[in-house]
Amino acid sequence: MDSTKASQELMDRSKVVIPGGVNSPVRAFKSVGGVPRFIDRGEGAYLFDVDDNKYLDFCCSWGPLILGHGDPDVVSAVKTQVDRGMTFGASTELEYKLAKFIVDRIDAVEQIRFVSSGTEAVMSAIRLARGFTGRDLVLKFEGCYHGHSDHMLVKAGSGLVTFGQPSSAGVPESMTSMTALLPLDDEEALNQFFTENGDRLAAVIIEGIPANNGLLLQRHDYMRLLRSLTEKHGVLLILDEVITGFRIGMGGAAEYYGIIPDLITYGKIIGGGMPVGAFGGRADIMANLSPDGPVYQAGTLSGNPVAMAAGLATLGKLADGKIHAQLETINRKFVGKLTTQLADSQVTVAGIGSIYWIVFQSELPRAASGISADGISHYNRMHEAILRQGLYLPPSGYEVCFVSAAHTEEMMAGAADILIKSIKEEAHTWA
Ligand code: PMP
């Protein structure tokens, strides 16, 4: 890599007109240091920055790009739709087609509504759950991210369960006082919480596979307990599949665990790289939405035709499951190679489907409290050096890596070699 001069200059200029120079905080590289790269273009598995450095992309726009950059079918679908019109503020057949595609394939989803982001999907699903049940309290889990709507910005306190401490300035306590927080992977805490609060709980929301604060793989038994407790107490289970939807196979995390949630939220892949979110589930619950029911929800660009076209083209290519199988094989090999060669390094590599996460600790945590802050700082310290060797890893040790269908076995083998060497070098600094 020759230079980051053009990225640096753009960052300096952006900082004048955009807070922190970025439109989403993690892009500022605050955790990892180094120059935040400004991207010029993406091609297949690669990103090119404005200094014309080339990177193998393991961020994949944080998940949407399961087919890689510039998939010809997605691009063609988008171009065709752009020529016909970019937004109408009226319904199109494309919305019906994408809704039908998802409803036909996902057992839990009898009806679905499209929005423009994952945040909006979650916010709407929670309003719907509250409207449907007539209850206010919502339970979420420490280490799960559900977008930045006020009532989801809750941080952990000292006790087993915390009510309503906002984790962002600008969120009044009254907005989060109806959000309870529990640690993941703790059956006892869950049982106790339901015994005490189950009957005033509207919904429990959990990430399909928690992947915003490390990759916290949950046990099937734990997820089944959650399903049975929610059922018993008339509480809606919202599975947030913004990341896992159509990534962990066509059936997402719901299929992986063998559970049927009441509502599912989507984003990322279903928009094929365009801004999309969605929430769907049982028809009797969805019937409560405006215009048929009393729960208000709307959006100027909801179901945007260009986004629907990109989503349909993407999901259409995934439908026969071959791409998921190929991705899983490639990722498993890659994770296996890292795991074997780093056996002495106190580094663990977690993988599921086409997601992997490198953590500098000898055991894989299942709850947020199990993540070693020291371990994360090792990842963060390696980040710039790895970028300079041509791998674009997400700029925070808490974030997971994504593999796309454009990543080949050769690319993955080369990336594994770079990572193994860099991790071993970093490991020496604390051995
Ligand atoms: N839920 C989950 C599980 C997510 O991973 C994200 C985004 N990373 C969101 C919700 C919010 O989605 P968005 O950034 O599109 O608002």
Side-chain angles (χ1 to χ4, degrees):
M1 192 176 79
D2 297 332
S3 160
T4 53
K5 193 163 168 280
S7 278
Q8 184 65 65
E9 277 173 12
L10 272 173
M11 187 59 176
D12 293 343
R13 297 214 306 259
S14 296
K15 274 185 173 166
V16 179
V17 289
I18 300 173
V22 293
N23 285 308
S24 198
V26 72
R27 297 180 198 169
F29 279 33
K30 288 271 186 205
S31 313
V32 294
V35 179
R37 304 309 198 261
F38 277 62
I39 304 304
D40 177 62
R41 65 193 186 280
E43 289 173 15
Y46 291 102
L47 281 177
F48 295 83
D49 70 14
V50 286
D51 293 282
D52 218 22
N53 300 305
K54 179 181 178 183
Y55 307 93
L56 186 61
D57 184 8
F58 284 123
C59 185
C60 295
S61 192
W62 306 95
L65 300 179
I66 193 166
L67 300 176
H69 298 273
D71 177 85
D73 297 315
V74 178
V75 170
S76 154
V78 166
K79 282 184 171 163
T80 303
Q81 185 53 43
V82 166
D83 282 341
R84 298 171 68 88
M86 286 190 275
T87 177
F88 308 116
S91 298
T92 62
E93 190 181 7
L94 289 164
E95 292 156 75
Y96 162 74
K97 280 186 172 167
L98 190 55
K100 176 86 174 121
F101 184 99
I102 295 173
V103 165
D104 280 350
R105 281 164 183 82
I106 307 294
D107 290 344
V109 179
E110 294 171 350
Q111 289 202 326
I112 188 163
R113 183 167 276 178
F114 296 107
V115 293
S116 298
S117 70
T119 295
E120 212 185 331
V122 168
M123 182 186 79
S124 307
I126 285 177
R127 184 182 306 139
L128 176 60
R130 285 174 165 155
F132 176 75
T133 57
R135 304 170 180 177
D136 291 337
L137 189 62
V138 169
L139 172 66
K140 79 177 280 293
F141 294 91
E142 195 185 339
C144 284
Y145 179 69
H146 302 290
H148 63 94
S149 61
D150 283 350
H151 46 212
M152 289 290 101
L153 289 178
V154 176
K155 75 174 165 204
S158 50
L160 213 49
V161 55
T162 337
F163 289 89
Q165 270 183 286
S167 60
S168 163
V171 178
E173 264 185 36
S174 57
M175 295 298 292
T176 53
S177 61
M178 281 296 134
T179 310
L181 191 75
L182 271 188
L184 284 163
D185 190 46
D186 186 338
E187 267 103 349
E188 211 183 305
L190 195 61
N191 276 314
Q192 191 185 332
F193 181 84
F194 268 87
T195 306
E196 289 166 10
N197 304 287
D199 296 342
R200 61 190 192 104
L201 198 53
V204 177
I205 183 161
I206 186 164
E207 274 187 68
I209 291 164
N212 275 287
N213 188 63
L215 189 60
L216 304 173
L217 298 171
Q218 296 305 294
R219 288 171 294 116
H220 283 57
D221 282 353
Y222 180 74
M223 294 300 287
R224 291 206 189 103
L225 174 66
L226 190 54
R227 179 63 284 193
S228 73
L229 284 172
T230 43
E231 246 163 33
K232 187 172 149 205
H233 290 267
V235 176
L236 301 190
L237 177 60
I238 306 174
L239 198 62
D240 184 352
E241 298 233 42
V242 166
I243 287 183
T244 48
F246 301 98
R247 182 164 284 275
I248 310 296
M250 288 304 281
E255 185 178 65
Y256 171 73
Y257 295 119
I259 56 169
I260 307 243
D262 301 295
L263 293 172
I264 299 185
T265 50
Y266 292 108
K268 305 201 193 255
I269 286 178
I270 64 159
M274 300 294 293
V276 171
F279 61 107
R282 273 169 41 196
D284 63 319
I285 302 172
M286 296 298 284
N288 286 269
L289 282 174
S290 183
D292 291 345
V295 178
Y296 189 68
Q297 191 279 330
T300 301
L301 291 173
S302 290
N304 173 265
V306 184
M308 297 292 104
L312 269 170
T314 302
L315 293 186
K317 289 187 83 157
L318 297 175
D320 65 9
K322 286 190 186 140
I323 289 178
H324 287 118
Q326 166 207 328
L327 280 168
E328 194 164 339
T329 306
I330 286 184
N331 197 39
R332 193 181 305 123
K333 252 191 191 167
F334 170 82
V335 169
K337 179 170 171 176
L338 287 173
T339 302
T340 312
Q341 299 209 21
L342 293 169
D344 303 329
S345 302
Q346 287 194 11
V347 169
T348 309
V349 186
I352 181 162
S354 48
I355 303 175
Y356 72 89
W357 182 51
I358 300 168
V359 60
F360 283 71
Q361 59 192 73
S362 46
E363 269 184 31
L364 195 60
R366 276 199 294 258
S369 58
I371 300 177
S372 144
D374 275 358
I376 296 294
S377 66
H378 282 293
Y379 173 98
N380 291 347
R381 282 200 338 226
M382 290 188 335
H383 186 266
E384 176 65 26
I386 289 177
L387 264 181
R388 286 178 180 272
Q389 295 172 78
L391 301 187
Y392 194 94
L393 298 182
S396 159
Y398 288 101
E399 302 286 354
V400 299
C401 300
F402 294 98
V403 180
S404 83
H407 290 67
T408 64
E409 275 203 57
E410 296 73 50
M411 292 174 194
M412 297 297 283
D417 290 339
I418 292 172
L419 287 170
I420 288 161
K421 188 164 164 288
S422 306
I423 290 168
K424 281 187 172 166
E425 278 167 16
E426 179 63 29
H428 280 307
T429 67
W430 94 94

